Amino acid sequence: MPTLDDKTTITPKLIAAHGITPDEYKRIQEILGRDPNITELGMFSVMWSEHCSYKNSKPVLKLFSKMNAELPHQENLLVKPGQENAGIVDIGDGLAVCFKIESHNHPSAIEPFQGAATGVGGILRDIFTMGARPILLMNSLRFGDLAQPVSQRLFRGVVAGIAHYGNCMGIPTVGGDVYFDSSYEGNPLVNAMALGIIKKNEIVRGAATGIGNPVYYVGATTGRDGLGGAAFASKELSDQSHEDRPAVQVGDPFMEKLLMEACLELLKTDALVGMQDMGAAGLTCAGCETASRASTGVEIDLAYVPRRETGMIPYEILLSESQERMLVIVKKGKEKEVERIFEKWDLHAVKIGEVTQGDKYRVLDSGKLAAEIPAKALADEGPIYIREEEKPAYLEETQKLDLGSIKVPRDFNQLLKKLLAHPSIASKSWVWQQYDHMVRTDTVFYPGHDAALIRIKGTQKGIAVSTDCNSLYVYLDPFEGGKIAVAEAARNVVCSGAKPVGLTNCLNFGNPMKPEIFWQFHSAVSGMIESCKMFEIPVTGGNVSFYNESPQGAIFPTPTIGMVGLMENIEKRVPSFFQNKGDLIFLAGETFNEIGGTHYLMMEHGLKKGLPPRLDLKREKALHQFILDAAQGGKLASCHDLSEGGLALALAECCFKSDQELGAVINGMGAIQEGSTGLRTDALYFGESQSRAVISVSPNHKDDIKRLAQKYGVKFYEIGVVNADSLVVEDRIHLTVQQMKNIFESTIPKTMERFS
Amino acid sequence: MKAAVVVFPGSNCDTDCFHALKDVMKVPVEFIWHKERSFPKTDLVVIPGGFSYGDYLRTGAIARFSPVMDSVTKHAHEGRAVIGICNGFQILLESGLLPGAMLRNKTLEFICKHTWIRAEENLTIFTGQMEPGETLCVPIAHGEGNYYCDDETLKSLQDHAQIVFRYSSQSGEVREEFNPNGSRDHIAGIVNKKKNVLGMMPHPERASEEILGSHGGRKIWESILNAIG
């Protein structure tokens, strides 16, 4: 882009370079009643980018709001999607949880360490901006084949970046999910989730209310880093993307820690009116959104904005995405009190303007008008497009799968070992040991469990969280895949004994201008909604990330779910691993000939094909009710959900966590096979039929648990018993726990070790 | 007994230590802001973990210049107890209250996990409730916990029984494979010659309650309580 100054002439070429279409430019002229200057053009370009305006996704995202409105217990959803920086759900006793997941895919592809680190920084600001204290972080990561050096480089950088930011902030990173698939080559996914806790009556709005109230700029200085990041995130990655490196921001978690403590301290005074972080689109977004929410105007003077570089023009100051900055609106007359708090934390707190009458976002530069735009037009009235959609042609090919041509492998021992050694399945301890997952001393279930579990001090409550998405399913059948993404995340939370109370989602897709991509997007969302309705789980918001394409094509559609569950009494928690020798092992749920889209089919037969397993929502819901009832009654020693790798892998995983080495003897596979006619042995061991869990119970509870399963209509098979040090399944699998654990634990470290 | 937890900008285990002392051990405890030049007389000063000053320059290098450190040094010289945990240990090294320095972990990566440490002797106020050779499960969480000192210092530490904790196996074997960060002589914690200042990388405050998965740290608090009363 040529050098810009306030005399720059607006040419069609310059308009196009800002990603603004001729029609959109016409609207800008109508809104202003004149031509915009270069500063205003820049402001429109970032606010009307997909990243900020959701112009391509809004019509579909509205389906979530419509669904929410039809759910029972409306009153529990305290802040709804799109209203504020993050959604909030009531958890009783005057407390609420505030949570959100967001992508930082493009920056991480270019600069993995800083890209991932600032992703964490951004999502944390969204939480404490609402007045909530962040208590946990999660992340959902996707990379290309780990055998590729480029995937290793991205993986190492992203994990280190997340660790750097979260560890320094002192907020535990308690879990997440990591998958490797060639579709993510060149376009990794980095989705970060944060959850905070807040008193219901202390929720802060991002609104600039009260004419005459001062507007403060707080935190780090403004530089040219991250210039136009929102616009950068709204196009496909290409071979030239590395030239966009200046659009990647650099994070300073220490600054953010100070900012967080200062903002939360400010919250305890009565001086605070509203807060908004300067994330995507920086000062442009923070100014117009706070004004728009309050239906007021905001006037600022850029001369007061603290800077880290000289010679910055208004265009650059307004579009900068320098990190760790907040816009804070305080009560007139309380300025001293506010400044005292920020001074205590050695932070800049500068009055840059005030709330005004009218509806304009007015920006001055040393008293001289630099930009003047109706705030609502900029923040909320961007263009909305209903994109064309068309069923992808590839589906016809991928959905053809002749089971008859798939030979059942002979050696299941070997197969299980191979599964355990697949990077997507193998232990992620190399990842989560780099994250401080214990700070704040609330982490009860560590990473590796079905869901992470955090206690809330001073109460009996626990919060269980899981992130999940099997994107191969979504690729092969977007609607069913969307349904399963929600169901599986809910099942993870339920298996730990918590009831799902809300979800946030990060919708990662390719270029929405391509009708086939938009069809995937719309279908996946529709599928997710089906599940949400059935399980009565509100969607609290999230983020859309389009344009996830590299020169090799689009990623697998990946609607990542961040599921939040509530446990009223944390003493009723259920671990994912076997606990006691002699406990009985049951399989809950039905098994079908479902091999399509399985990890087994992909790994063993080299096929990413077939229809993924079908999800019967009623059956899934019955399973949830059964598990929660059993957990409440204290009947479960352990409960682990079945997913990739099926029953065989789930059984292996159940042997991994206990301090003592506990294996299992399984001799009831025949009963499952009898319950499902013509069931193939590979489907029985490695199929991925939905709505299933492996449960272990003390022999004393055998009759009770069977009665409960019957009450909820859940098919229930007694398949074996917890035993010492080996996993033995009929005459097909016989491995020591140590053998399995070695493979499971060493796969990723062996690939990633620097010194070997 | 009365305790105080120092809070630096970037401290993030301050509230955890506060909780372990107050809610678990039932000890009266106060926070001290790093800008305070003095603080009321207290029996135990805790320098908590975290990233004081963002680890800029070197871990603990800036925190040691905080106004509060003069009073902490005075408190230590008067023979009262100081415990520095993780970043607190690093600050004690930088301020000269303990000898040695910290290097990056041998893997060059941050490591958070449960470790076993062996109590080497029980003649300090921090270890009185342990048997020499007893092992405790206490988690670590650090990027720079690779304790280093020169030969002479090491010999002096050994000769004066200042090495209080070493990384070990659950059964107490001390070997390379049980040392998570590459520290010299497998050191996890040391005391000064007067044995009233302890620096340790593992986090006892994270191992003080059964629900968090380990409770080895509780023995350290119990020892202090027992010694000070």
Side-chain angles (χ1 to χ4, degrees):
Chain A
M1 200 179 282
T3 320
L4 303 172
D5 59 42
D6 52 4
K7 288 177 210 70
T8 305
T9 330
I10 310 295
T11 62
K13 206 172 146 201
L14 199 58
I15 294 166
H18 278 81
I20 289 173
T21 66
D23 282 345
E24 288 172 357
Y25 188 71
K26 233 177 261 162
R27 277 212 38 210
I28 293 173
Q29 288 172 313
E30 280 164 26
I31 288 165
L32 297 177
R34 59 179 166 82
D35 284 338
N37 62 30
I38 181 64
T39 305
E40 291 164 335
L41 185 71
M43 293 167 79
F44 274 107
S45 95
V46 287
M47 287 309 295
W48 286 10
S49 70
E50 172 61 33
H51 193 79
C52 290
S53 74
Y54 297 104
K55 61 184 167 189
N56 295 306
S57 50
K58 237 180 202 168
V60 172
L61 295 179
K62 278 197 177 138
L63 301 173
F64 285 130
S65 301
K66 190 167 161 268
M67 182 272 301
N68 279 343
E70 289 161 6
L71 291 181
H73 311 297
Q74 283 294 308
E75 65 284 2
N76 289 343
L77 189 53
L78 301 177
V79 175
K80 300 188 172 81
Q83 285 183 335
E84 294 280 348
N85 290 295
I88 298 185
V89 174
D90 196 339
I91 58 165
D93 299 333
L95 295 173
V97 285
C98 171
F99 57 93
K100 190 179 176 183
I101 191 166
E102 203 163 70
S103 65
H104 234 212
N105 305 337
H106 284 71
S108 304
I110 307 295
E111 215 299 276
F113 184 93
Q114 290 297 343
T118 51
V120 173
I123 197 67
L124 285 174
R125 280 195 301 283
D126 278 337
I127 302 305
F128 69 75
T129 297
M130 302 299 300
R133 176 168 284 278
I135 59 168
L136 68 88
L137 285 161
M138 302 272 290
N139 55 73
S140 178
L141 311 177
R142 301 287 183 276
F143 301 93
D145 181 358
L146 189 61
Q148 302 291 329
V150 60
S151 303
Q152 293 168 16
R153 181 181 70 85
L154 291 170
F155 181 39
R156 185 191 304 285
V158 164
V159 170
I162 291 171
H164 168 66
Y165 213 103
N167 295 353
C168 186
M169 287 292 292
I171 295 156
T173 303
V174 294
D177 58 316
V178 189
Y179 286 88
F180 303 91
D181 184 277
S182 53
S183 89
Y184 301 104
E185 233 137 77
N187 196 127
L189 300 187
V190 177
N191 296 176
M193 176 175 174
L195 180 141
I197 192 119
I198 187 169
K199 286 188 185 142
K200 259 171 80 174
N201 56 6
E202 290 185 349
I203 296 173
V204 180
R205 303 282 170 169
T209 49
I211 311 296
N213 277 337
V215 173
Y216 274 81
Y217 171 111
V218 182
T221 50
T222 296
R224 291 190 173 92
D225 49 331
L227 213 51
F232 159 64
S234 302
K235 62 186 186 194
E236 288 173 34
L237 289 169
S238 70
D239 296 339
Q240 280 80 47
S241 289
H242 61 273
E243 291 171 12
D244 280 326
R245 201 182 299 236
V248 180
Q249 312 89 338
V250 177
D252 179 355
F254 173 58
M255 176 66 83
E256 177 129 318
K257 165 80 175 160
L258 303 183
L259 195 56
M260 176 176 81
E261 295 300 341
C263 288
L264 293 176
E265 194 170 321
L266 182 63
L267 177 74
K268 302 289 171 201
T269 69
D270 65 345
L272 186 64
V273 173
M275 258 198 291
Q276 166 97 3
D277 83 299
M278 291 185 230
L283 194 48
T284 299
C285 181
C288 71
E289 282 195 352
T290 48
S292 175
R293 283 199 196 101
S295 296
T296 55
V298 160
E299 181 175 302
I300 61 169
D301 193 326
L302 300 177
Y304 301 111
V305 172
R307 302 169 205 189
R308 66 180 73 149
E309 288 180 72
T310 54
M312 289 182 76
I313 58 170
Y315 178 96
E316 293 170 318
I317 300 169
L318 282 161
L319 267 59
S320 161
E321 292 188 5
S322 289
Q323 298 287 293
E324 294 93 23
R325 303 178 302 157
M326 300 280 267
L327 202 65
V328 180
I329 297 110
V330 305
K331 275 184 198 148
K332 200 176 167 68
K334 301 268 180 184
E335 290 89 340
K336 282 277 159 294
E337 197 175 341
V338 173
E339 285 167 16
R340 212 169 24 243
I341 288 174
F342 287 105
E343 200 177 312
K344 171 184 166 189
W345 292 96
D346 297 323
L347 289 167
H348 288 282
V350 188
K351 187 187 162 192
I352 59 166
E354 59 180 44
V355 181
T356 57
Q357 293 264 359
D359 63 352
K360 298 273 199 310
Y361 184 27
R362 255 169 77 89
V363 182
L364 309 177
D365 184 23
S366 300
K368 201 176 125 219
L369 190 64
E372 186 174 33
I373 306 174
K376 274 201 194 322
L378 203 51
D380 296 325
E381 291 163 8
I384 290 175
Y385 300 109
I386 301 196
R387 292 292 171 202
E388 266 178 66
E389 33 186 297
E390 191 186 328
K391 188 173 174 181
Y394 73 82
L395 285 174
E396 202 175 323
E397 177 54 34
T398 56
Q399 290 182 353
K400 276 188 215 145
L401 178 70
D402 173 19
L403 278 190
S405 68
I406 309 287
K407 268 181 70 181
V408 179
R410 238 190 257 144
D411 189 346
F412 279 17
N413 255 337
Q414 205 49 40
L415 192 51
L416 179 57
K417 284 205 256 181
K418 220 166 131 182
L419 273 170
L420 288 166
H422 191 284
S424 292
I425 285 175
S427 165
K428 304 300 181 299
S429 57
W430 181 86
V431 177
W432 53 258
Q433 285 187 352
Q434 293 186 55
Y435 304 148
D436 189 340
H437 51 275
M438 305 174 188
V439 62
R440 294 188 54 78
T441 56
D442 288 328
T443 315
V444 176
F445 281 170
Y446 293 143
H449 277 79
D450 285 12
L453 179 64
I454 293 284
R455 67 170 171 182
I456 301 176
K457 287 190 188 104
T459 75
Q460 289 203 301
K461 292 181 200 289
I463 298 290
V465 190
S466 163
T467 62
D468 217 328
C469 177
N470 184 322
S471 60
L472 178 57
Y473 292 176
V474 188
Y475 172 71
L476 295 174
D477 185 342
F479 182 81
E480 203 70 12
K483 267 167 69 183
I484 292 176
V486 172
E488 195 179 335
R491 205 185 309 140
N492 286 334
V493 161
V494 165
C495 283
S496 67
K499 185 181 182 312
V501 292
L503 73 83
T504 173
N505 56 56
C506 193
L507 307 169
N508 306 275
F509 288 80
N511 181 346
M513 305 300 196
K514 297 177 182 166
E516 297 195 340
I517 299 284
F518 204 79
W519 189 88
Q520 285 179 338
F521 174 66
H522 193 169
S523 305
V525 168
S526 304
M528 290 162 66
I529 285 172
E530 286 296 299
S531 281
C532 289
K533 269 190 205 158
M534 182 53 120
F535 313 137
E536 298 175 357
I537 304 172
V539 172
T540 64
N543 159 242
V544 178
S545 172
F546 282 138
Y547 303 96
N548 289 294
E549 303 205 7
S550 67
Q552 285 76 43
I555 58 158
F556 278 173
T558 314
T560 305
I561 307 296
M563 184 68 69
V564 176
L566 173 65
M567 205 175 286
E568 285 296 347
N569 180 358
I570 201 155
E571 295 308 324
K572 304 279 184 189
R573 65 189 180 275
V574 183
S576 309
F577 313 98
F578 294 145
Q579 300 294 310
N580 315 294
K581 213 167 148 180
D583 280 353
L584 304 175
I585 303 171
F586 295 87
L587 173 70
E590 288 178 70
T591 308
F592 304 95
N593 257 339
E594 291 179 309
I595 293 175
T598 60
H599 202 86
Y600 151 70
L601 186 68
M602 176 172 71
M603 197 189 69
E604 187 63 17
H605 301 282
L607 297 173
K608 296 180 188 178
K609 282 187 79 164
L611 271 180
R614 302 293 94 185
L615 175 69
D616 181 322
L617 289 167
K618 282 205 188 106
R619 221 160 32 218
E620 180 79 34
K621 187 166 184 175
L623 180 79
H624 295 185
Q625 288 171 325
F626 159 63
I627 293 172
L628 288 177
D629 196 337
Q632 268 308 309
K635 308 288 182 211
L636 304 177
S638 76
C639 181
H640 180 34
D641 112 281
L642 266 64
S643 57
E644 289 89 353
L647 179 56
L649 187 78
L651 287 167
E653 287 173 340
C654 285
C655 302
F656 285 163
K657 217 24 184 256
S658 186
D659 303 337
Q660 331 138 30
E661 275 189 2
L662 289 175
V665 174
I666 306 294
N667 47 24
M669 298 293 269
I672 308 170
Q673 209 149 13
E674 276 162 32
S676 177
T677 38
L679 187 65
R680 294 167 56 115
T681 324
D682 52 355
L684 172 63
Y685 279 72
F686 302 103
E688 297 175 14
S689 289
Q690 294 296 298
S691 317
R692 297 186 298 163
V694 173
I695 285 167
S696 70
V697 299
S698 144
N700 302 335
H701 296 321
K702 180 176 170 174
D703 295 334
D704 293 346
I705 197 89
K706 280 181 151 173
R707 249 196 311 277
L708 260 186
Q710 203 166 22
K711 176 180 162 193
Y712 289 101
V714 172
K715 285 267 169 70
F716 208 54
Y717 303 93
E718 184 176 342
I719 57 173
V721 60
V722 179
N723 202 347
D725 67 33
S726 289
L727 175 65
V728 182
V729 188
E730 306 287 353
D731 54 358
R732 289 196 163 259
I733 294 172
H734 192 148
L735 293 167
T736 67
V737 174
Q738 199 54 52
Q739 240 177 324
M740 296 193 297
K741 223 174 182 172
N742 285 347
I743 301 170
F744 186 68
E745 289 294 342
S746 68
T747 296
I748 290 180
K750 260 201 292 200
T751 312
M752 299 306 293
E753 227 158 38
R754 292 178 223 238
F755 318 107
S756 49
Chain B
M1 170 177 146
K2 277 199 310 190
V5 178
V6 180
V7 184
F8 296 95
S11 292
N12 62 32
C13 302
D14 45 344
T15 53
D16 299 355
C17 291
F18 190 92
H19 166 75
L21 284 164
K22 181 161 184 281
D23 302 327
V24 182
M25 304 308 299
K26 312 291 178 199
V27 171
V29 53
E30 305 278 341
F31 284 121
I32 314 172
W33 182 237
H34 74 114
K35 287 180 186 171
E36 304 293 333
R37 294 209 168 269
S38 61
F39 49 83
K41 196 170 160 189
T42 187
D43 302 298
L44 171 70
V45 168
V46 181
I47 319 257
F51 289 71
S52 60
Y53 292 95
D55 275 357
Y56 286 121
L57 196 57
R58 261 191 334 272
T59 53
I62 304 179
R64 85 168 185 94
F65 293 107
S66 270
V68 76
M69 283 310 290
D70 286 342
S71 305
V72 172
T73 305
K74 194 164 155 254
H75 168 97
H77 286 160
E78 286 164 4
R80 283 196 293 273
V82 178
I83 174 168
I85 301 161
C86 198
N87 185 228
F89 187 7
Q90 294 161 345
I91 294 169
L92 291 177
L93 295 177
E94 287 289 338
S95 65
L97 284 168
L98 291 173
M102 284 297 173
L103 303 176
R104 291 278 302 275
N105 294 346
K106 63 181 174 188
T107 58
L108 301 183
E109 273 144 13
F110 188 96
I111 306 168
C112 176
K113 65 173 187 183
H114 281 98
T115 53
W116 287 93
I117 54 173
R118 190 175 76 185
E120 299 295 16
E121 50 99 0
N122 61 1
L123 299 175
T124 76
I125 50 173
F126 308 102
T127 54
Q129 296 293 298
M130 302 161 204
E131 295 299 323
E134 182 177 340
T135 59
L136 311 173
C137 183
V138 186
I140 55 161
H142 58 249
E144 294 186 23
N146 183 354
Y147 177 82
Y148 181 81
C149 61
D150 58 24
D151 294 343
E152 201 183 319
T153 310
L154 183 63
K155 185 157 186 314
S156 166
L157 288 174
Q158 290 163 343
D159 291 350
H160 296 93
Q162 286 173 251
I163 300 171
V164 176
F165 298 115
R166 282 195 177 89
Y167 298 107
S168 73
S169 69
Q170 183 171 0
S171 58
E173 299 157 87
V174 171
R175 274 208 310 270
E176 187 71 28
E177 60 188 290
F178 306 119
N179 179 341
N181 53 34
S183 64
R184 199 141 192 220
D185 202 21
H186 310 291
I187 284 172
I190 55 171
V191 287
N192 60 346
K193 273 195 191 133
K194 277 163 83 179
K195 302 194 177 173
N196 63 320
V197 178
L198 167 68
M200 63 188 294
M201 288 315 291
H203 288 267
E205 79 280 11
R206 297 184 183 189
S208 301
E209 294 165 271
E210 203 68 62
I211 192 172
L212 301 178
S214 61
H215 51 279
R218 209 186 150 107
K219 274 226 158 152
I220 297 174
W221 305 126
E222 283 168 355
S223 296
I224 299 171
L225 254 175
N226 194 60
I228 296 174

